[in-house]
Structure formats: structure tokens, C-alpha cells
Amino acid sequence: MVTCVNDAMFPETGKAVVRLLERLGVEVDFPAAQTCCAQPMVNTGYLDEAVPVVRTFVEAFDGYDAVVTPSGSCAGSARHQHAIVARRSGDPALAAAVERTAPRTYELSEFLVDVLGVVDVGAYFPHTVTYHPTCHSLRMLGVGDRPRRLLEAVRGLRLVELPGAAECCGFGGTFAVKNSDTSIAMGADKARHVRGTGAEVLVAGDNSCLVHVGGVLSRQQAGVRVVHLAEVLASTEEDAADEPPQTSPATAVGRAPLQGERTP
């Protein structure tokens, strides 16, 4: 499952998942009928409207050995929210289909570590990286240290600790729309912590969080790239040789603070 955000804004993440899984010997299929996981509707209370979306999900993915997605947020929705929607619908066939697909839906790091049993995926990424564990992957799925173990096994990668890593970045789907001032302040806090690490790259398992924090970092001209975990794990020495020279991390000078941002 490529997810809506990746499909619309970060297609390279989905392509990286396919390259990575095929490199590890996994047969990958992409059912074209897939759409949204229904999380935006569930999170905002539109449970009845979520029914046809959940039905589309299970019809697209029922019958596969595993459903792998580069998003803790969407995997969490399929694993935990689909059953709520199905029970409310009163449709026993839908509930049965959810019971089959939900436990076979995995966030990428879960699938690599728990199902394939690998930590070293043969990646090469010669950069200093800090890692943000997104809220849904950390709290809803409980992926724990799986992403960190995968990053620590990447050749050339130097992983530095992110202060306040477990704190939310402030995106939270519709939270960012309904509570924009608070969302911006939280994103500014996260960006300040990222800048303080001196890392070249901020990595996470959800592009929705990276687009939020990356937007703040970009406005600050912080010189920090944001890259999805899948793209790091799919990287090889050949990819690194093709990379353009990167700008060194820099602290923005003379910029106006973002709304809600505290002075470091």
C-alpha cells in the first residue's frame, strides 16, 4: 500500500519500497484498485463515510500474504481502526475481511525485522542522520526500536540522537488544519531539536510528519534534508555516487522566527 500522501507528493518513497523488497527477494504486487486507508475519515468522526473506503481496502488486499506500507499511520489505521468501522457497519462479511487483512498489514520496518528477519538490508547512506519516531508508529503500532536497528546497520550512516524524539511534530493530520498555531509551534520545537543535532538528514517512517517538519526547516534555510526511512534503506553505493554535492548543515542567520517558535 503506497498511501495517499506518498502517491500524491512522494512517489519516490513507494518506488524505494519496491526496490528494497525486491532486492530482498520479495515478490511485490501493486493492486491498482487501492485508495485511501480511511484514517482521515475515522480520525474526524466520519465512521459511516469510512465504510466504503475500508471495503475498498479489504477488497484490494484480501488474499495477499502481507500488506506492506511505508507509513506507521496508515498501518495503524488498517490494524486498529478498520475493525471499529466494520463492527459499526453491521456487515459480517466486511468484518470477516478486516479480520483477515488487519493482522497481515505491516509498517515497513515491522515487515523487514519481524517477517523477513533482517536488520542489515545491504544499504549504504554516507550521511549523519537523526531519526524522528512518528506518533502512530511509536504509540499505535509499537514499532519500538526496529527503525533504529535498521538504520544502525546501514553502512556509512552515522546516527545521532534527537532530543525530545518521542514528542509529536505537530502534524497529526487534521490537527494541523484545526489547530494551526499549536501545530506550527510544535513543528518549530521539533525543527529546533533537529538543528541542534548537527545532522544532515532527518529520517522518519511517515512522510506526513516529514513534510511538516521539513517545511519549517526549509523556511529556516537550515540545510537539513528530510528523507523517508524506505529511501535510506533502499540506497546503495551506486545511488550515493550519483548524488549531487550536499550543502553543509547551517544555522539560519537573520531570519524572522516562525509563529510560535521559541528562541533557541
Side-chain angles (χ1 to χ4, degrees), residues 17 20-21 68-72 75 79 106-119 121 131 137-138 141-151 204-205 228-230 233:
V17 172
L20 172 63
L21 293 180
V68 182
T69 180
S71 166
R79 188 94 58 82
Y106 300 92
E107 181 270 341
L108 177 63
S109 72
E110 291 181 311
F111 183 75
L112 295 172
V113 175
D114 297 349
V115 179
L116 298 187
V118 296
V119 174
V121 298
Y131 171 70
S137 65
L138 191 67
L141 284 181
V143 300
D145 66 352
R146 295 174 183 85
R148 288 184 56 88
R149 291 164 60 193
L150 291 161
L151 289 172
H228 192 281
L229 174 68
L233 299 180

Side-chain angles (χ1 to χ4, degrees), residues 129-131 148 152 159-165 193-194 196-199:
V129 166
T130 194
Y131 171 70
R148 288 184 56 88
E152 287 169 351
L159 185 62
V160 294
E161 292 296 329
L162 176 63
H193 289 314
V194 171
T197 67

Side-chain angles (χ1 to χ4, degrees), residues 26 30 51 66 74 83 114-115 127 147 169 183 191 204 253:
V26 177
F30 182 89
V51 171
C74 297
D114 297 349
V115 179
H127 299 286
C169 71
S183 173
V253 176

Side-chain angles (χ1 to χ4, degrees), residues 15-141:
K15 294 176 183 176
V17 172
V18 174
R19 288 200 309 276
L20 172 63
L21 293 180
E22 290 185 340
R23 190 170 78 207
L24 295 172
V26 177
E27 182 181 351
V28 180
D29 190 21
F30 182 89
Q34 64 179 282
T35 58
C36 178
C37 68
Q39 183 181 158
M41 282 150 277
V42 176
N43 286 356
T44 46
Y46 292 97
L47 297 179
D48 292 338
E49 288 78 0
V51 171
V53 186
V54 172
R55 195 185 309 281
T56 298
F57 181 96
V58 298
E59 288 175 352
F61 291 110
D62 200 3
Y64 286 97
D65 296 330
V67 182
V68 182
T69 180
S71 166
S73 186
C74 297
S77 177
R79 188 94 58 82
H80 300 291
Q81 294 180 336
H82 283 192
I84 298 171
V85 174
R87 282 198 298 272
R88 181 182 173 92
S89 75
D91 181 345
L94 179 61
V98 167
E99 286 185 9
R100 291 191 296 272
T101 57
R104 290 186 281 109
T105 302
Y106 300 92
E107 181 270 341
L108 177 63
S109 72
E110 291 181 311
F111 183 75
L112 295 172
V113 175
D114 297 349
V115 179
L116 298 187
V118 296
V119 174
D120 184 347
V121 298
Y124 177 73
F125 194 76
H127 299 286
T128 301
V129 166
T130 194
Y131 171 70
H132 166 60
T134 64
C135 291
H136 284 171
S137 65
L138 191 67
R139 298 179 177 87
M140 185 181 285
L141 284 181

Side-chain angles (χ1 to χ4, degrees), residues 167-189:
E167 296 174 6
C168 177
C169 71
F171 179 68
T174 54
F175 176 85
V177 177
K178 295 177 178 177
N179 304 278
S180 59
D181 289 346
T182 304
S183 173
I184 291 171
M186 295 170 72
D189 277 350

Side-chain angles (χ1 to χ4, degrees), residues 48 135 211 213 246:
D48 292 338
C135 291
V211 75
V213 183
Q246 299 298 319

